[in-house]
Amino acid sequence: MLYKIQIHSSLRLNPMQTSKKFTYFFALVISVSFIISFFLYGIQNSIAENNPQIELKPFSYSKILSRTTTVILFFSLLWFYKRIEKKPIRSLGLENISKRKKDLFLGFLAGMASLSFVVATKVIFGVSTWAPKEFLAFDYLISFYFLLSVFCIGFVEELFFRGYLLQSFVVEWGEKKAAIFTSLFFSITHFIRPIQDILILIPEFIGLFLVGYALSYAWIYTRSLYLPIGIHAGWVYVVKMQSFFVSPIPHDYHWLFGGERLVTGFISWMFMFLFLFGLKRFFEQMLQKDQMPTG
């Protein structure tokens, strides 16, 4: 398979127009998200208060805002790209699914494997304990639901962050600067929460940045969204399924092993760097093979 490194002609946008359009677009989406999230937060609290007999666990406002923003960004992007940019959504990196489905599958396996190493390391060093639960029929159903949901999450988020945002700013700033900016934006939008303990939140921010940076380079190397969607889905699937197999143990080594999120702490950063290095080496070898003379 030939992975081209040149810029697609469909990405040759006017840089000033891109920045201006995106600024207005995102400001509007965030404003609408704040308003809708406020009402959703009030509705769920009202339901919980009026139904004390049901053990409901209301979401925090920050979590509702984060999820609402993601959904609104997705549907707004569909409209924005079709009406304003006047281009089909598939031009953002969704072409040739029959040829690229292998990238989707391999990305999913690679994402699961890389984050599973983080889980295993935490078990080995005693900050988590191996405690697999007995799977009932409902648990298998939940696992399948998680499998479907992580691909939906990967698709929605990658379409915006790597499909639109990264590709637009590659034209304006080049690949490295665009990857850094997109990753910063990715970590900020996943970081909407109260600042309670800065020593715990800083590692989380760094981890989310590295996640975004790895996903950005998955697009840069392939010029397709299928690999980053697969990697993203694999990572999220491990996050959702880990509670079925391990139990966390309270500890004070958050900078080393991380907190609630698996992408925090030095251990996860190390595996993320190794993942980026492996990704880079893999595609360099693929390019070398494609460039070798035949016959």
Side-chain angles (χ1 to χ4, degrees):
M1 184 186 299
L2 180 60
Y3 294 91
K4 297 183 179 179
I5 301 300
Q6 68 268 23
I7 301 295
H8 281 180
S9 59
S10 62
L11 301 181
R12 299 185 186 282
L13 309 173
N14 185 312
M16 294 304 294
Q17 280 188 337
T18 298
S19 299
K20 191 173 182 179
K21 288 176 182 177
F22 175 73
T23 301
Y24 290 140
F25 167 68
F26 185 70
L28 178 62
V29 168
I30 289 296
S31 300
V32 173
S33 299
F34 269 106
I35 296 171
I36 294 178
S37 299
F38 176 79
F39 284 106
L40 291 176
Y41 183 68
I43 291 172
Q44 74 149 10
N45 287 343
S46 176
I47 294 174
E49 291 174 2
N50 294 326
N51 296 275
Q53 71 280 7
I54 304 176
E55 294 184 3
L56 299 175
K57 296 181 179 179
F59 294 112
S60 65
Y61 176 76
S62 59
K63 189 168 186 178
I64 292 176
L65 177 59
S66 177
R67 297 293 184 269
T68 302
T69 302
T70 299
V71 173
I72 294 178
L73 275 174
F74 172 69
F75 287 105
S76 300
L77 179 60
L78 296 180
W79 173 86
F80 179 82
Y81 210 68
K82 184 177 180 179
R83 298 284 183 171
I84 306 300
E85 298 292 348
K86 300 187 183 302
K87 296 175 182 176
I89 289 295
R90 64 178 180 274
S91 66
L92 291 174
L94 295 172
E95 305 96 336
N96 302 322
I97 185 172
S98 59
K99 296 180 180 179
R100 295 286 190 173
K101 59 185 177 182
K102 183 179 178 181
D103 291 353
L104 187 69
F105 178 70
L106 291 178
F108 181 71
L109 292 182
M112 283 190 61
S114 59
L115 207 53
S116 293
F117 279 119
V118 177
V119 176
T121 302
K122 295 177 74 170
V123 171
I124 291 171
F125 283 92
V127 295
S128 291
T129 180
W130 178 251
K133 63 177 296 186
E134 181 181 355
F135 268 63
L136 304 176
F138 181 74
D139 296 314
Y140 285 104
L141 185 62
I142 289 294
S143 301
F144 182 70
Y145 165 75
F146 283 160
L147 186 62
L148 294 178
S149 66
V150 297
F151 276 100
C152 289
I153 292 170
F155 174 75
V156 169
E157 295 197 4
E158 292 311 303
L159 186 64
F160 175 71
F161 288 105
R162 261 59 63 175
Y164 176 73
L165 190 60
L166 175 64
Q167 295 182 40
S168 296
F169 288 107
V170 160
V171 179
E172 188 167 354
W173 294 317
E175 292 176 352
K176 291 184 178 179
K177 288 184 179 179
I180 291 172
F181 175 81
T182 305
S183 303
L184 283 172
F185 189 77
F186 177 82
S187 57
I188 290 171
T189 54
H190 283 71
F191 201 70
I192 305 174
R193 60 178 60 203
I195 299 178
Q196 298 172 336
D197 189 340
I198 194 67
L199 294 179
I200 294 178
L201 295 182
I202 288 177
E204 182 176 327
F205 186 86
I206 295 172
L208 288 169
F209 173 83
L210 292 174
V211 166
Y213 197 75
L215 293 171
S216 293
Y217 266 87
W219 177 83
I220 288 172
Y221 290 136
T222 63
R223 285 302 194 268
S224 169
L225 288 181
Y226 291 109
L227 182 63
I229 288 173
I231 295 171
H232 196 146
W235 282 338
V236 177
Y237 194 62
V238 173
V239 170
K240 288 185 174 295
M241 291 296 296
Q242 65 168 328
S243 62
F244 285 86
F245 299 97
V246 298
S247 297
I249 297 175
H251 63 88
D252 297 322
Y253 305 103
H254 295 285
W255 276 91
L256 182 60
F257 296 104
E260 295 179 4
R261 296 196 177 186
L262 287 176
V263 297
T264 61
F266 179 78
I267 296 297
S268 63
W269 302 344
M270 179 186 69
F271 280 111
M272 199 62 65
F273 277 118
L274 291 173
F275 185 84
L276 274 167
F277 178 76
L279 194 67
K280 182 175 182 292
R281 290 286 297 172
F282 175 78
F283 283 105
E284 283 178 348
Q285 292 176 4
M286 290 293 294
L287 283 170
Q288 289 176 359
K289 290 180 180 179
D290 289 333
Q291 293 170 358
M292 288 179 61
T294 57

